[in-house]
Amino acid sequence: MSDNSNLLVKLSLPLQYQQDLFNELRAEDELVILARGLGLLRLVANLLHAYDAAGNNLVLVVGADDRENEWIGEALAEHHAISKTSNSRGLKVINTDRAGVPMRERIYQQGGILSVTSRILVVDLLSKLLDPEKVSGMLILHAEKVMATSIEAFIIRIYRQYNKVGFLKSFSDSPEPFMTGFAPLATMMRNLFLRKPSLWPRFHVTVAESLEGRKRAEVIELEVPMSDKMKEIQSAVLECVETSISELRKSNPGLDVEDWTVDSALHRNFDVTIRRQLDPIWHRVTFRTRQIASDLRVLRTILQFLLTYDAVSLVMYLDTVIAAHSAPPGSTRHNYSPWLFLDAAHVLFQTARSRVYRGKITSEELPSMSTSFGASLQPILEEQPKWAVLSDILQEIEQDSYLNPIRDDSSSAILIMCSDQRTCRQLREYLETMHLKLDQSGDGTDSASNELGEFDSRPSAELMMRRKLREYLNWKRNFSRVNENLYSSRPSPSEVQFGRGLNSSRPLVPAQNRAPPNKRRRVRGGGAAPFVAVDGPGSTVQADVEQPNQVSELMEQLRPSGAEANLKEDVLVDDLEDTEDYYELYEMDDLIMIHPYDGDMDEHILEESRPRYIIMYEPDASFIRRVEVYRSSHVDRNVRVYFMYYGGSVEEQRYLSTIRRENDAFAHLIKEKGSMSITLSHDRSLEDPQEQFLRTVNTRIAGGGKLAATAAPPTVVIDVREFRSALPSLLHGRSMAVIPCQLTVGDYVLAPGLCVERKSVRDLISSLKNGRLYNQVETMLQHYQSPLLLIEFDQNKSFTFDAFTTASTPGPSFFSDYTLSSSGVPTTSFSGSSLINPSSPKSAQHLLVLLTLAFPRLKIIWSSSPYQTAEIFAELKKNNPEPDPLRAVQIGLDLTIPMASSNTGDVMAAAGIEHRIFNQLPQDMLRAVPGVTPKVLERLIIETGSIHEIANMNVEALDPLVGKEAAQKIVRFFKKSVFEEGGS
């Protein structure tokens, strides 16, 4: 690198804060925490290009996903085309196991910029396929995910152990994770082997001056008021959220519930945070608490449907919520969520339905009304308020582009940014049909006065909403038919039928001093009585039931005609025929592009389309900053941004909360940085070799112990598939030599005769279910003297194997954390399985007992976490010889492996280890012979050569080996005739 250190390289960093940050990174190693939207990948790409242009570097990129690799690769190719540097080689990606060892070795020797997955890289570093001393430097992306037990921290530790001069730089654009725990920034710096953090929030002086100069983008903020029914639904959902959170706080007083608020519940990771706090006590958490933790995600999804999608989509989603919580007809077992019994839930369902259609109730029908609808239904089809505002914005843009033509480098393209692809499809359909409107005649039928091509000056989503309502009614009818087919045998017509509607039209009242005869519930203390429906003891939360004639009348009103019938349906699969008639290239000035938010990939959209007008259909703080960076980076491009949001909505609250949380995180980091101590790492390679040797001497030789002293560290042979777990990293952290190999038998080899098969709880259940564990244990018994089965729990989850419930009550057993979903309902893969039933003969507990009975020499070790497993391994390795990696790889393969010396045969036979040198099939056949017990079998396979020899022996020959009684049974069995007595 020294030969080309003065090489001039062209960079694409026009802003001052980008240049300052680049110079810092070139000067020293540091952790960079940048606010979202300020161009983190652009900075990384320019830094990599500077190293790539030198031509003699080997730089590793760790932690990048596939899309980031694609982004960085394209950026390096563009930089190479602009700089025209002859030494640039671009980005090479090693992200699959298809890249074999010879190929990876050749790529490492060639050098350049390499992006390698963590699991492949850690194996290559440990096996010396990649020499750490030959690595010029390493860039770590997503530093917020690096923990002490992560593979990335393992990679950095190996790199710094052998390479003290190479550079190491880490990046993150998520400051919020650095707020959890004690001294999170100092802990992260210790995991990354770095000393200096570099913080760049949006309120940084250099960032503010770069983005708030004369080249600021023109932003028009539009506060769209919600409709009255939308406000009612939002208030009802927030009331359900608040009630659910208060119930969680009361049920778990011992946890840190300070952040369990309605404001925090609006964020996507709130239910993940709650589950993380409940995981250590998940086996003691009640079923109600589990269900509430799952319900918070459902309630947040309802809010998203309310503000983002149309009214029909919200009603359809509420239908699925009711269906998911309902029991099959004739069944009394259901798992209704507590929020469904609130009055707010009743308001939610009724108001959501009233936005789509309502019933026409006459005075004669009112006294005897049995359903919530009258003789006929009338479509309402309330439109989203943002749709009308969007059409007004497009009309304003059209006038502005006509009156003020372009005089700069930007195009007249209009870019509309949404949250997801579904919203993009919805807006595209609205823009295509907003000027097509049907006239309603007096008889309620559609008159096709407006043919396709004639536009109404007032935009409307009537055509789109009518189509969605037709699809909803058809879906509802098909859904009801599916239920009838699945549950055709019903005890009575009054049984609950889910899926035919939404909310219950019958009020929910407390039970009047009586309980349903088919189910008794105990109410302790001063708690409220259980809520049941008023119709009878078998009632539950029910849905509105529309009569078939009502639905038929509504479908008749929605029958397409005229312009609506001529509309072309969405093409999902196109065979690309007649492309010359339907496909052509449009000018950028004529385009309206609708695109979802996509993180750093949005920079490509801005650079390629060069839009003059940007409409943010939903607020996103990071995209606003990307627009600021784009406008400040291009002096000759003008940008006007329309920023839309619902006033007084959770959308606005979530946006402001996101900005506030990010600012609080940076303030916390700045404060910790000011008082953080400097981390000094100890270099063990500089110690005196004699002192290192003396530290390995075991001075506890009392009680017959042996004096063990060796300068070499303890060795553990590990299967390469085990590097997905944290245990190899912890073993390496305890100064053990970790050797990755492709093992056929076992996962860890601690000594020549000590093999360990590690199972997580999820893998253990799967192995017990399909029988794979029995084959693995049998193979270990054949080749190793001391086979061990290690059952390892997650360090952040509960460690218990006691069954807290009986077979008749669904609840948490020691496997319930993995066989039950977060709502407490059995998952699909294990639903109805006997593995989670402690009293079943096929339960996991019973299968483990059978495993130990079938293989008495197998030892089972329970470990609460990988940390405890590392301590157990250290104890098991004491006074044991080191394993041979070559022999560990050969065991289980069809290779000739030299056996142990013959002088140890008697000791091994006495210990019952000789099984591993004999064929297993004759042993299984001998077990079926009368009189052959396990002790007799052990004696026979040691003293005899084959089953043929045993069959030809008489009682006198067998008596010294197995005893006279057993000898008589064996001889009688082999001499017994194959014909029945008295046969011809």
Side-chain angles (χ1 to χ4, degrees):
M1 182 175 175
S2 59
D3 298 337
N4 299 322
S5 59
N6 297 324
L7 182 66
L8 296 179
V9 180
K10 295 182 180 179
L11 303 176
S12 59
L13 299 174
L15 302 182
Q16 184 62 40
Y17 82 90
Q18 295 174 341
Q19 299 172 7
D20 294 346
L21 188 51
F22 178 83
N23 293 330
E24 278 188 14
L25 288 169
R26 290 284 291 179
E28 55 185 331
D29 297 344
E30 60 184 11
L31 166 63
V32 176
I33 304 178
L34 193 65
R36 294 186 186 91
L38 296 184
L40 179 63
L41 283 186
R42 177 184 295 272
L43 177 68
V44 172
N46 280 270
L47 184 63
L48 290 175
H49 174 61
Y51 291 118
D52 191 24
N56 57 350
N57 288 311
L58 175 56
V59 181
L60 301 178
V61 180
V62 181
D65 55 28
D66 293 338
R67 305 196 64 190
E68 290 170 340
N69 286 330
E70 181 181 355
W71 199 101
I72 295 174
E74 293 179 359
L76 290 179
E78 293 177 1
H79 283 296
H80 172 67
I82 296 174
S83 300
K84 301 185 183 303
T85 53
S86 59
N87 296 326
S88 298
R89 284 169 286 183
L91 179 69
K92 299 177 184 177
V93 180
I94 303 177
N95 58 359
T96 61
D97 293 331
R98 288 178 294 179
V101 174
M103 181 184 297
R104 297 205 302 269
E105 186 177 9
R106 185 171 61 253
I107 293 175
Y108 292 146
Q109 292 176 354
Q110 294 174 354
I113 309 297
L114 305 181
S115 178
V116 192
T117 58
S118 300
R119 193 173 67 88
I120 296 178
L121 182 58
V122 69
V123 173
D124 291 345
L125 289 174
L126 289 172
S127 61
K128 300 298 181 179
L129 183 66
L130 172 61
D131 189 358
E133 297 181 358
K134 296 181 180 179
V135 178
S136 303
M138 188 177 295
L139 271 64
I140 310 296
L141 302 184
H142 302 290
E144 71 278 358
K145 299 180 180 179
V146 178
M147 300 181 296
T149 57
S150 62
I151 302 181
E152 290 78 13
F154 192 9
I155 292 172
I156 297 173
R157 189 189 314 131
I158 300 171
Y159 172 66
R160 274 294 178 239
Q161 181 180 357
Y162 298 100
N163 192 331
K164 308 296 183 182
V165 296
F167 63 83
L168 178 62
K169 308 176 192 305
S170 186
F171 303 88
S172 175
D173 58 354
S174 299
E176 292 84 2
F178 292 90
M179 293 181 62
T180 58
F182 175 74
L185 182 59
T187 303
M188 184 62 65
M189 300 298 292
R190 184 167 58 252
N191 295 336
L192 295 171
F193 285 78
L194 293 174
R195 296 185 181 181
K196 178 184 177 183
S198 182
L199 309 177
W200 293 81
R202 174 60 178 83
F203 55 83
H204 193 283
V205 176
T206 308
V207 177
E209 291 178 353
S210 301
L211 302 182
E212 297 177 1
R214 295 177 302 165
K215 299 173 289 184
R216 298 180 60 183
E218 179 185 0
V219 180
I220 300 176
E221 185 176 311
L222 299 173
E223 181 179 347
V224 182
M226 294 189 298
S227 64
D228 294 337
K229 293 182 179 179
M230 292 177 64
K231 293 179 181 178
E232 292 181 13
I233 295 176
Q234 177 178 278
S235 300
V237 176
L238 291 179
E239 182 178 347
C240 295
V241 172
E242 185 176 4
T243 305
S244 300
I245 293 178
S246 62
E247 183 70 21
L248 281 178
R249 295 169 69 99
K250 289 187 297 183
S251 303
N252 303 276
L255 299 180
D256 183 13
V257 295
E258 182 180 355
D259 293 335
W260 292 13
T261 61
V262 178
D263 183 43
S264 301
L266 301 178
H267 297 275
R268 294 182 179 179
N269 60 346
F270 178 69
D271 50 344
V272 179
T273 303
I274 288 184
R275 179 60 194 268
R276 188 183 300 116
Q277 293 184 356
L278 293 177
D279 272 339
I281 59 172
W282 192 251
H283 59 289
R284 295 195 300 268
V285 171
T286 62
F287 178 77
R288 185 184 183 92
T289 300
R290 299 184 184 189
Q291 203 163 26
I292 293 176
S294 176
D295 292 339
L296 292 174
R297 180 183 303 176
V298 176
L299 293 172
R300 189 175 62 248
T301 306
I302 293 176
L303 288 175
Q304 179 187 2
F305 271 78
L306 171 67
L307 300 176
T308 306
Y309 306 134
D310 55 272
V312 180
S313 299
L314 175 61
V315 173
M316 183 181 296
Y317 180 73
L318 292 177
D319 264 343
T320 60
V321 171
I322 289 294
H325 289 80
S326 300
S331 174
T332 59
R333 297 183 63 180
H334 54 78
N335 55 341
Y336 286 121
S337 300
W339 69 273
L340 289 173
F341 294 93
L342 299 175
D343 293 336
H346 183 76
V347 174
L348 164 64
F349 295 139
Q350 289 287 352
T351 309
R353 179 175 55 85
S354 65
R355 296 178 66 206
V356 180
Y357 53 83
R358 69 167 179 260
K360 299 177 181 178
I361 305 175
T362 61
S363 58
E364 292 80 11
E365 296 172 336
L366 189 58
S368 60
M369 184 180 60
S370 59
T371 65
S372 60
F373 295 91
S376 60
L377 303 175
Q378 178 183 357
I380 301 299
L381 302 178
E382 180 183 290
E383 301 180 8
Q384 296 291 94
K386 279 187 178 181
W387 293 347
V389 178
L390 178 62
S391 62
D392 294 340
I393 293 175
L394 293 176
Q395 185 177 1
E396 177 183 333
I397 291 175
E398 184 178 359
Q399 295 177 358
D400 182 72
S401 60
Y402 177 78
L403 298 177
N404 302 313
I406 299 177
R407 295 186 179 89
D408 54 26
D409 188 45
S410 61
S411 64
S412 294
I414 303 173
L415 178 61
I416 303 177
M417 300 298 296
C418 308
S419 59
D420 53 22
Q421 289 286 357
R422 182 172 180 177
T423 311
C424 293
R425 292 192 297 268
Q426 176 183 273
L427 291 183
R428 186 188 65 180
E429 183 179 359
Y430 170 73
L431 295 179
E432 291 175 351
T433 61
M434 65 179 181
H435 291 295
L436 295 176
K437 188 176 182 181
L438 295 177
D439 293 334
Q440 299 290 338
S441 60
D443 57 357
T445 59
D446 298 335
S447 62
S449 58
N450 286 345
E451 297 296 335
L452 188 62
E454 297 184 10
F455 297 97
D456 196 310
S457 59
R458 295 169 300 175
S460 174
E462 184 179 7
L463 264 71
M464 181 182 72
M465 295 297 292
R466 287 166 62 88
R467 182 187 65 81
K468 288 183 176 293
L469 183 54
R470 284 196 302 271
E471 293 177 352
Y472 165 70
L473 294 176
N474 290 328
W475 170 83
K476 198 173 185 180
R477 180 165 50 191
N478 296 333
F479 190 56
S480 180
R481 291 174 181 172
V482 170
N483 287 328
E484 293 176 358
N485 293 333
L486 289 177
Y487 311 106
S488 56
S489 59
R490 293 185 294 272
S492 63
S494 62
E495 291 290 344
V496 180
Q497 299 181 17
F498 68 95
R500 294 194 299 171
L502 292 177
N503 60 307
S504 176
S505 60
R506 299 167 298 179
L508 299 175
V509 299
Q512 301 296 328
N513 298 327
R514 59 185 176 88
N518 57 355
K519 183 177 181 181
R520 295 182 177 271
R521 301 184 64 181
R522 297 180 180 177
V523 182
R524 299 181 178 179
F531 280 82
V532 297
V534 299
D535 280 2
S539 300
T540 54
V541 176
Q542 293 196 6
D544 284 317
V545 180
E546 298 85 1
Q547 299 297 331
N549 60 339
Q550 297 174 337
V551 178
S552 301
E553 292 179 8
L554 183 58
M555 289 291 292
E556 182 65 24
Q557 296 182 40
L558 298 173
R559 184 173 57 87
S561 61
E564 190 175 8
N566 295 330
L567 286 177
K568 183 180 178 181
E569 295 292 336
D570 290 339
V571 179
L572 299 180
V573 180
D574 198 336
D575 54 4
L576 299 181
E577 294 182 355
D578 303 327
T579 56
E580 296 180 358
D581 298 334
Y582 295 101
Y583 295 91
E584 60 179 334
L585 294 178
Y586 289 96
E587 293 290 337
M588 291 296 297
D589 296 341
D590 300 330
L591 288 183
I592 297 179
M593 296 176 293
I594 306 177
H595 197 271
Y597 295 120
D598 200 13
D600 290 300
M601 310 303 164
D602 294 336
E603 294 187 19
H604 285 317
I605 301 296
L606 295 174
E607 293 291 345
E608 294 175 3
S609 61
R610 299 178 289 110
R612 186 182 180 187
Y613 306 99
I614 300 176
I615 302 175
M616 296 182 62
Y617 187 76
E618 294 162 303
D620 185 84
S622 60
F623 184 78
I624 293 177
R625 294 167 183 168
R626 290 188 177 91
V627 174
E628 291 178 333
V629 174
Y630 168 77
R631 178 64 183 91
S632 301
S633 302
H634 300 278
V635 184
D636 54 347
R637 298 179 187 177
N638 294 319
V639 180
R640 178 186 296 179
V641 181
Y642 293 89
F643 183 79
M644 301 172 58
Y645 64 93
Y646 285 115
S649 67
V650 295
E651 183 181 65
E652 178 186 9
Q653 186 178 356
R654 186 187 301 116
Y655 168 73
L656 297 177
S657 177
T658 301
I659 298 178
R660 183 174 64 254
R661 287 162 64 93
E662 183 184 85
N663 292 338
D664 293 344
F666 272 112
H668 183 273
L669 290 174
I670 292 173
K671 181 178 179 181
E672 183 180 354
K673 179 184 176 181
S675 58
M676 186 175 63
S677 59
I678 299 178
T679 302
L680 298 177
S681 58
H682 177 59
D683 190 359
R684 296 182 179 180
S685 62
L686 301 179
E687 293 181 352
D688 186 7
Q690 183 177 3
E691 182 180 355
Q692 294 183 11
F693 173 77
L694 292 176
R695 288 183 179 181
T696 62
V697 175
N698 182 13
T699 59
R700 301 184 62 182
I701 59 176
K706 298 180 180 180
L707 179 61
T710 174
T715 303
V716 179
V717 181
I718 304 178
D719 186 31
V720 293
R721 292 177 291 269
E722 282 295 308
F723 282 88
R724 298 185 180 94
S725 65
L727 184 55
S729 176
L730 295 177
L731 294 176
H732 185 270
R734 298 179 68 91
S735 300
M736 293 187 183
V738 176
I739 301 178
C741 296
Q742 189 77 31
L743 299 181
T744 306
V745 180
D747 294 328
Y748 297 83
V749 179
L750 306 181
L754 185 58
C755 177
V756 179
E757 177 72 26
R758 190 190 71 91
K759 294 289 183 183
S760 63
V761 177
R762 186 185 300 273
D763 190 20
L764 175 66
I765 295 176
S766 176
S767 302
L768 288 173
K769 187 176 182 181
N770 57 26
R772 181 166 53 94
L773 181 58
Y774 295 91
N775 297 329
Q776 293 174 335
V777 172
E778 187 176 14
T779 308
M780 286 196 301
L781 288 170
Q782 294 176 7
H783 298 94
Y784 286 97
Q785 176 181 354
S786 301
L788 297 176
L789 174 62
L790 173 70
I791 301 176
E792 184 180 272
F793 282 69
D794 193 333
Q795 58 181 344
N796 298 321
K797 298 184 183 295
S798 58
F799 174 59
T800 176
F801 50 90
D802 293 330
F804 286 83
T805 56
T806 62
S808 60
T809 306
S813 65
F814 86 102
F815 294 115
S816 64
D817 203 17
Y818 299 90
T819 58
L820 298 181
S821 63
S822 58
S823 61
V825 184
T827 58
T828 304
S829 58
F830 296 106
S831 181
S833 173
S834 57
L835 282 174
I836 62 175
N837 190 345
S839 62
S840 172
K842 294 184 179 180
S843 67
Q845 292 92 325
H846 284 73
L847 292 178
L848 280 177
V849 173
L850 293 177
L851 182 69
T852 56
L853 292 177
F855 305 104
R857 292 193 294 113
L858 175 68
K859 303 299 186 293
I860 298 180
I861 299 177
W862 298 84
S863 176
S864 61
S865 67
Y867 290 96
Q868 186 180 14
T869 304
E871 296 179 1
I872 293 173
F873 281 11
E875 292 293 329
L876 291 175
K877 284 191 63 62
K878 287 183 178 180
N879 299 328
N880 278 323
E882 299 300 334
D884 183 6
L886 181 59
R887 179 175 176 80
V889 172
Q890 291 176 341
I891 288 179
L893 301 177
D894 295 332
L895 299 173
T896 302
I897 306 175
M899 301 304 300
S901 58
S902 58
N903 55 359
T904 60
D906 297 336
V907 179
M908 296 173 62
I913 310 302
E914 206 63 17
H915 292 285
R916 65 190 183 101
I917 63 175
F918 289 99
N919 193 352
Q920 188 67 27
L921 182 59
Q923 299 180 41
D924 296 337
M925 297 178 65
L926 285 175
R927 289 189 181 98
V929 176
V932 178
T933 62
K935 292 184 178 180
V936 171
L937 175 64
E938 191 79 21
R939 188 72 174 174
L940 288 175
I941 62 177
I942 294 176
E943 300 294 338
T944 61
S946 64
I947 297 181
H948 179 268
E949 181 182 349
I950 299 175
N952 292 326
M953 295 175 68
N954 52 24
V955 177
E956 290 75 14
L958 286 173
D959 186 11
L961 300 179
V962 298
K964 187 173 182 180
E965 183 179 357
Q968 291 176 352
K969 293 181 179 179
I970 295 174
V971 172
R972 193 181 303 119
F973 172 80
F974 283 109
K975 292 184 177 181
K976 190 173 184 180
S977 174
V978 297
F979 299 104
E980 294 289 342
E981 294 183 1
S984 55

